[in-house]
Amino acid sequence: LTSVNIWSMFAQLFVSCVVMCMWDRYRFLRESRRTQFATNKMDVCAQYLTVFPCAVLAGGLAFKYQGGQAMVNGWGREAFLAIRVEWIIVFLAMFAHTLVHTLLLYFVVPLFAVQKVEPEPITYAALAEKSSCSWFNANPMHCMRSLHYYCHRPPHVCAYPGRSHLHRANPDIHAYYEAPEDIKAAQSMLRNIMSEASEHMEQGAEIARTATVAVTATVRDFATGRTSSAAANRPGSPSGSMMPKTGSVLDGAAACASQRTPLVNARRHQLEASRRDDDSAGRGQ
């Protein structure tokens, strides 16, 4: 039908359109807090802009109908810029499509549009019950006066996108909006989940601290016990047979610590005795 490059180009255009549609859908439904459409002028303008690419497609169809690439293979360089019947037919097809497309958008499409509905009379209180943003809480200074100066309970909460669940009704200050029950239930459930998660994290941290202290003490006692056992197992040491041969790490560490105490006390007594002898010798001289 046509060259491979044209098919490749349209495949890339199709993929890009799919990606843009998915991104716009995600961005609009998941990342946008609030969207306001005052009129449909932007949509109407986009519909009219599609007339030109569709007209190019109509001209390409007319060119293909007359022979396409096989027709222009025998043309010279000057033939492309000359006024030929083939080019006239192509431009006539483009003009006819532009005219028909524009007339359809201007006269036919509005017949299927949603008709404007006249607004029904409604009180301020009834409307404020459906919308979290009102004339009062849209003013941050008025919300601050309500909280700190007039001390309203509950006060006005500043209207901000995504924070409608914080509003509480108080008809005395013309605050009629109340967060729906499902939002309150979801907020309460989320608060409970966060509280339980915080408790579990604190318990885990306490267990980790206890385990760290126990492991540190075990390693310290074990290292001290190895030093004492090496000293006790020297030839001539009377306490060599007192070293435990088997058992858990904690029991071995405790046994090593108990054996180390007499050795330390004996060494301390020896040092004190030698110090007293030195002092006596010095006084005698």
Side-chain angles (χ1 to χ4, degrees), residues 1-13 64 69:
L1 296 176
T2 185
S3 64
V4 180
N5 295 332
I6 299 297
W7 285 108
S8 176
M9 181 181 65
F10 274 94
Q12 295 175 13
L13 290 175
K64 199 68 177 179
Q69 192 68 27

Side-chain angles (χ1 to χ4, degrees), residues 51 93-105:
V51 172
M94 295 176 62
F95 177 78
H97 177 84
T98 302
L99 181 62
V100 174
H101 198 158
T102 304
L103 292 177
L104 289 175
L105 290 177

Side-chain angles (χ1 to χ4, degrees), residues 33 41 50 68 114 150 157 196 236 243 281:
R33 298 176 179 174
K41 292 183 178 180
T50 58
V114 178
Y150 297 108
V157 178
E196 293 179 1
M243 288 298 297

